[in-house]
Amino acid sequence: MSRISRRSFLRGAAGTSAVVMLGGCAAKPSGASTPLTTTGASPSAKPKRIIHMVSDGMSVGVLTLAERYSQQFRGTETNWRKLMIAPTGEHHQGLMDMASASSVVTDSSAASSSWGCGHRINNGSVNIAPDGTPLEPILVTAMKHGWAGGLVSTATITHATPAGFLAQSNKRDDEEGIAKQYLERGIQVYLGGGSRFFDPAHRADKQDLFMGFRNNGYAVVRSRDELLNQKGDKPLFGTFAESHMPYTVDHVNNPALLAGVPTLAEMTAAALSRLESAADHFILQVEGAKIDHAAHVNDAPGLVRDQIAFDDAIGVALRFQARNPDTLLIVTTDHGNSNPGLFGQGDAYGDSDKLFSKVGRMTRSYSAISGDWNANMSVPDLTSLIHRGTGIELSVKEVAMVLEAIRSHGPNPYTYQNAAIPTLASILANHTAVSWGGTSHTGDYVTLTAQGPGAASLPSLLINTDLNAFYRNCMVRA
Ligand SMILES: [Zn+2]
């Protein structure tokens, strides 16, 4: 662990707000629910490094969609499938129960907190029990045991999933407050979006947190070039977008974005390189955040291409693990979202593959297309806009339905799927064979794949909070 990180951590522990109380992990806060335990809390072997990868909001059908894309357009299987089919060394494939204290359908902050502090808490909170007790996040535990830590995300780096590993807040949306906790706690690597929460021009308190990181000895990077050309062994802080980072399908089709913004795989590689030189032991959280964002609006090209970008990051992690076999790799998600899937179309469902290939050829996310439409548009103009982004020429009747959804603000029978983008998605489903079950998170069990020391001791159905106990046990030296 670098001296800088420990110093920053200790300063944070000594002088921050009442909510930010470190080292006080209550054994059982009242109201926090840990209804079951599994036998997976004790690793059979202890890794020196943990890479925890989250494809946020990934319903299991996304695996099939990404696989079809990968085989049709990349000519190879996904890394995740290879990991499942041909593991090396200790391996585990199973399910995880992600319920929170307040709902069987978790949100991202309660889900990440279940891994972060080992308790089920209410949706909307970050490592705060329902009775208000602050709970110790796993990256704080890691620092106490001499482990380095890192956070990587394509969302704002202060968003719910990375925050669940390091921060404590009653409100996940208090990203300015979470940004300040990041500065105070000082782990080795932060890479993602969300520059506005560190920028004095946007923060309510006008504090310059970029300067704060520099003063604490960090290398601060703000572009892809700066990240890729970064050398040395300083702790690393980088944000590459004001808010969330762009959808991959928009990123790779925009030369300016491609040049200026790193991919999730590039951020993962930079984080692993920096952590490797910082400490013998570390835990890195990597989130592909925009799978969830795409699912919320039924955006097929947004979803599929971001899952492929996540898969590229799995490839980086697997190559690191091949060089460092004492690394435990966990690849999972925090909850399902909207349950997309490839549906059968045509005689004997024979058209599905061919129709799905249209998603692979799309050049814009549905969200980006929606940024260019308005209620006063003509049907021909909207037809052209949709065609330019998707390659699909909709009929006058179909486009009129999208236009009606753009203009409509009243109730209709499809309460959750009548917004404009999901309406476009429902119509395009007839052309792509990709349909959706809703626009929100689901309570489904999620898939979990693990490879490396300790993986084989995970149970087939893991309770989310037990993964925290598992990680903590890995950190206790024999
Ligand atoms: Zn989530």
Side-chain angles (χ1 to χ4, degrees), residues 56 108 334-335:
D56 201 294
S108 296
D334 54 346
H335 48 77

Side-chain angles (χ1 to χ4, degrees), residues 54-57 106-109 111 160-161 172 287 289 292 333-335 337 441:
V54 182
S55 172
D56 201 294
T106 191
D107 80 333
S108 296
S109 61
T161 300
R172 58 176 279 179
E287 182 197 23
D292 180 67
T333 177
D334 54 346
H335 48 77
N337 189 338
H441 295 186

Side-chain angles (χ1 to χ4, degrees), residues 205-269:
D205 63 10
K206 303 298 179 196
Q207 287 192 34
D208 184 347
L209 301 194
F210 292 118
M211 186 61 70
F213 276 102
R214 280 192 196 92
N215 290 343
N216 283 356
Y218 281 73
V220 175
V221 293
R222 301 294 304 281
S223 70
R224 177 173 182 267
D225 275 353
E226 287 179 359
L227 177 70
L228 299 186
N229 295 323
Q230 233 298 304
K231 300 275 191 286
D233 57 2
K234 289 181 175 180
L236 186 58
F237 178 90
T239 53
F240 310 99
E242 283 278 300
S243 180
H244 304 307
M245 291 173 70
Y247 282 112
T248 297
V249 67
D250 301 323
H251 185 187
V252 301
N253 287 297
N254 180 321
L257 285 178
L258 202 54
V261 177
T263 64
L264 183 62
E266 288 169 341
M267 293 194 293
T268 302

Side-chain angles (χ1 to χ4, degrees), residues 143-168:
M143 294 170 92
K144 289 179 175 175
H145 289 285
W147 285 45
L151 295 174
V152 171
S153 177
T154 49
T156 58
I157 194 61
T158 44
H159 210 242
T161 300
F165 279 69
L166 183 60
Q168 294 156 311

Side-chain angles (χ1 to χ4, degrees), residues 42-47 90 328 452-455 457 470 474:
S42 298
S44 53
K46 292 191 179 184
E90 275 200 62
L328 173 65
S457 53
F470 186 89
C474 290

